[in-house]
């Protein structure tokens, strides 16, 4: 059964509380940052970029980047393949239905995990990392093993897209390092070996968008999110006690800080609550790449941010797997994920039998 068939009334499990549905009245004043200068090594342009990024991250952690070097044709192909995938018959998509406890596969409204406040969307999620043990791409293998050889091209496009997103992510990590006054390469080296998440989002038209949301208000638990949204628009950020929309630009990637980087910056840069709204007339697609460290990597801020007499450690040492496991099995990501994870993690740690 198609969850999003046009019905007279939206099923109650998709209805959100009124406080989550307050409409945005203005656009977010986030900087659009030109990466061209930094990519060619222009020191003046680099300092300007660093200043803009620092101001955004101290305020709300959102900015857009242009001249990022990602081929617009590749972005267009990725969007076309996402559209093709979600137009497949439900029975075909269910071949890779996400199972409870798994990160990977197709999901309709995250119904395998939740029973209320369901998001009005379908998602396709898969892992991306460099596979040094095999010539076969982990992304191509994901598609071919589920659907057969005819999906090889889709896998190849997404593999290229993920590779480019990681490249951009490492550039951003260099900028974040400089903006925090740590060694330029510190965060870039930290994320060189990653196990990241690619998520394709499809938001169908909704007969009553005043009651439903495409994505619930939350902070991203990962380190850095790189999003390309189509021209429909729908991304909104909660800043200064009000919802503000992030206008789409075809040439831009939207960047935002996640909870794991908040911990890596010792709480200096905070992840920000955001959501996606739905539309009565038009479907929407977005491509989200979540840059994550290896699961066993210990999340600890650089020593430079822990100078003698300066701020104390805000969060305990934990691994990305610890936080990921918390959000998958114990907690639904929201505005206070990192704070509640810290309490849960310390409680679990001290209550373990010795």
């Amino acid at each position: 059964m198609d969850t999003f068939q046009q019905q007279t009334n939206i099923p109650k499990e998709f209805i959100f509380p009124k406080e989550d549905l307050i409409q945005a009245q203005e656009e977010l004043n986030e900087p659009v940052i030109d990466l061209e200068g930094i990519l060619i090594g222009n020191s003046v342009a680099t300092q300007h970029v660093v200043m803009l990024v620092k101001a955004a991250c101290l305020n709300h952690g959102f900015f857009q980047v242009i001249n990022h070097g990602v081929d617009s044709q590749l972005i267009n192909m990725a969007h076309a393949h996402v559209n093709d995938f979600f137009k497949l018959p439900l029975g075909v998509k269910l071949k890779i239905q996400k199972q409870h406890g798994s990160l990977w596969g197709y999901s309709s409204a995250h119904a395998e995990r939740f029973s209320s406040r369901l998001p009005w969307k379908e998602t396709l999620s898969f892992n991306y990392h460099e596979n040094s043990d095999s010539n076969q791409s982990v992304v191509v293998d994901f598609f071919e093993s589920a659907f057969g050889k005819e999906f090889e091209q889709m896998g190849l496009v997404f593999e290229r897209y993920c590779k480019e997103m990681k490249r951009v992510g490492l550039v951003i990590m260099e900028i974040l390092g400089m903006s925090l006054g740590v060694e330029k390469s510190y965060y870039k080296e930290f994320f060189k070996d990653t196990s990241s998440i690619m998520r394709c989002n499809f938001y169908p038209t909704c007969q009553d968008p005043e009651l439903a949301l495409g994505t619930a208000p939350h902070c991203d638990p990962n380190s850095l999110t790189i999003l390309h949204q189509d021209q429909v628009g729908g991304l909104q950020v909660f800043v200064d006690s009000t919802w503000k929309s992030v206008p789409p630009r075809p040439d831009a990637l939207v960047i935002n800080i996640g909870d794991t980087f908040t911990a890596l910056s010792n709480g200096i840069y905070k992840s920000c609550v955001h959501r996606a709204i739905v539309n009565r007339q038009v479907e929407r697609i977005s491509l989200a790449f979540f840059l994550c460290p290896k699961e066993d990597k210990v999340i600890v801020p650089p020593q430079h941010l822990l100078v003698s007499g300066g701020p104390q450690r805000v969060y305990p040492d934990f691994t990305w797997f610890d936080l990921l496991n918390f959000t998958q099995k114990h907690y639904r990501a929201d505005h206070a994920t990192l704070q509640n994870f810290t309490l849960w993690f310390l409680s679990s740690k001290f209550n373990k039998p010795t």
Side-chain angles (χ1 to χ4, degrees), residues 172-184:
I172 302 299
M173 284 299 165
E174 277 195 309
I175 297 169
L176 290 172
M178 288 185 280
S179 74
L180 285 164
V182 304
E183 180 64 38
K184 175 183 174 182

Side-chain angles (χ1 to χ4, degrees), residues 128-172:
Y128 172 74
H129 60 84
E130 289 84 358
N131 191 347
S132 55
D133 302 326
S134 167
N135 293 325
Q136 176 73 313
S137 141
V138 64
V139 179
V140 175
D141 186 56
F142 172 81
F143 282 93
E144 284 194 0
S145 60
F147 303 115
K149 192 73 175 172
E150 63 267 32
F151 278 76
E152 180 185 27
Q153 189 58 35
M154 188 178 285
L156 286 168
V157 167
F158 284 129
E159 173 78 14
R160 281 181 58 206
Y161 186 85
C162 289
K163 188 174 183 180
E164 282 292 274
M165 291 303 106
K166 182 182 174 184
R167 178 188 62 77
V168 173
L170 293 182
V171 172
I172 302 299

Side-chain angles (χ1 to χ4, degrees), residues 274-337:
H274 54 285
R275 69 182 183 185
I277 60 169
V278 285
N279 193 296
R280 193 188 304 273
Q281 281 87 27
V282 196
E283 299 167 342
R284 175 174 178 257
I285 283 173
S286 69
L287 307 178
F289 182 82
F290 302 116
L291 187 72
C292 312
K294 280 284 192 183
E295 291 186 349
D296 59 355
K297 195 99 176 185
V298 178
I299 307 304
V300 55
Q303 199 59 39
H304 181 87
L305 300 181
L306 305 170
V307 290
S308 177
Q312 300 301 304
R313 281 289 298 277
V314 180
Y315 305 101
D317 285 3
F318 62 91
T319 66
W320 165 233
F321 176 80
D322 293 325
L323 179 55
L324 186 62
N325 185 53
F326 177 69
T327 60
Q328 291 301 305
K329 296 182 179 174
H330 303 284
Y331 191 82
R332 183 173 184 169
D334 62 8
H335 66 286
T337 303

Side-chain angles (χ1 to χ4, degrees), residues 30 35 61-65 168-169 172 176 224-227 253-257:
E30 92 290 358
L35 293 184
F62 270 79
F63 52 96
Q64 300 203 51
V65 295
V168 173
I172 302 299
L176 290 172
L224 193 75
T225 300
I226 307 175
L227 181 86
L253 298 168
V254 182
I255 312 290
N256 71 270
I257 298 295

